[in-house]
Structure formats: C-alpha cells, structure tokens
Amino acid sequence: MAAFEPRNPGYRAAAIAMFDRQPAMHTLGIVIVRLSPGTVELAMLHSPSFTQQNGFVHAGIITAGLDNACGVAAFTLMPEEADILTVEFKTTLLAPARGERFVFKAEVVKPGRTLTFCEARAFAEHKGSTTLIATMTGTLMAMMPRPAPEGARMAPASRGD
C-alpha cells in the first residue's frame, strides 16, 4: 500500500471525533483499534443481539463495520473542512460470521479531491483462529461546505397568528 500524506494535520483527532459522533457504532460496540493516514482497523465483540436465524452475525452488521472502516480510512485523507458520505459499496460474503470478535480493516486505494476509493476486509476470530469472512470495495465522497447562494436570505420568522 502506498503511504499517503493527510491534508488535515489534525486528521487523527478529526477522524476519532467523526467516528464518536455515530450512535450506530456505539450501539454495535465497534471501536477504533488502529488509525493512520489512509488506513484503519475497527473491532467489535460478538453479541447474540446481532445474529440472524442461523446464529451467525447478520450480514448487515458486518457490512456496517466494513462501510464505517472505509469511511474512517477515507476521512483521514480529507481536508479539515470536509465531512464524509458513502456513495456506493459492494460487499462479498465469504464465510459465515461466527466468532468471539470481529475485525474490520480498510485502506484507501485511491484518494481524490471529491471521491475516494477504498477496500476493506472483515475477519472473525473464533477459537484461536482468524477467518476472512467478507470484503468490501467502497467509494466515499468528501462533502465540502457550500457558500449560500448570492442574494439568498432567510425566510421571515412566523408570528404564529
């Protein structure tokens, strides 16, 4: 993987703050394990609440971890004023999500001014072994602040009459 130079010198604090503002990640118990420019590793412990009818962690939960890993990896290379949004992703499920702990690793393949392309992998740790269970390719968009259009003004407040 190529070494990337972050455009935001405070990328680490910004990425952690962005991650921490996501209630979904708190609900799933997903945490940041490692973070560097263009890469991230997230982890989550197994919970019976996340399983589907066969007892495996639901594909939607695994996909959420992979998507977020791509987002955080991409965000580390975006400018300070940017926010981030997923544009598309493709997930391939390779093995049942059975394990005590799940790890989501993502890296930027190609950063861009607006769009960033990432790849991610999900691993299940089960009884002392690690199994690759899913992969993802994703495209993330830098959402830049937009100035108000010339001549735009706020609507007058309602008087409640």
Side-chain angles (χ1 to χ4, degrees):
M1 183 191 90
F4 295 110
E5 195 64 38
R7 297 193 302 186
N8 176 1
Y11 80 90
R12 185 175 186 75
I16 291 169
M18 181 272 295
F19 182 85
D20 286 346
R21 288 192 307 272
Q22 298 182 53
M25 294 301 103
H26 293 282
T27 299
L28 297 175
I30 296 177
V31 297
I32 296 174
V33 175
R34 286 190 190 85
L35 180 67
S36 60
T39 67
V40 71
E41 181 178 320
L42 307 177
M44 172 188 87
L45 296 177
H46 177 273
S47 171
S49 299
F50 303 154
T51 60
Q52 43 81 292
Q53 71 278 5
N54 302 115
F56 308 128
V57 171
H58 194 283
I61 303 294
I62 299 303
T63 300
L66 287 166
D67 174 41
N68 207 275
C70 285
V72 174
F75 190 73
T76 65
L77 301 179
M78 293 183 178
E80 184 175 355
E81 64 276 11
D83 204 344
I84 188 162
L85 192 64
T86 300
V87 175
E88 68 80 36
F89 59 72
K90 180 197 183 298
T91 304
T92 301
L93 304 168
L94 304 170
R98 173 183 29 230
E100 295 87 35
R101 183 172 181 261
F102 299 88
V103 176
F104 309 96
K105 297 180 181 182
E107 60 185 30
V108 170
V109 175
K110 180 168 185 325
R113 184 176 53 81
T114 304
L115 298 177
T116 297
F117 184 79
C118 295
E119 292 181 343
R121 289 173 174 66
F123 300 89
E125 297 174 351
H126 184 66
K127 296 185 178 179
S129 67
T130 301
T131 303
L132 176 64
I133 59 169
T135 62
M136 176 179 280
T137 57
T139 307
L140 297 297
M141 179 179 82
M143 292 180 23
M144 303 304 288
R146 296 182 187 186
E150 188 68 31
R153 60 182 199 155
M154 295 183 63
S158 171
R159 294 184 356 192
D161 293 332

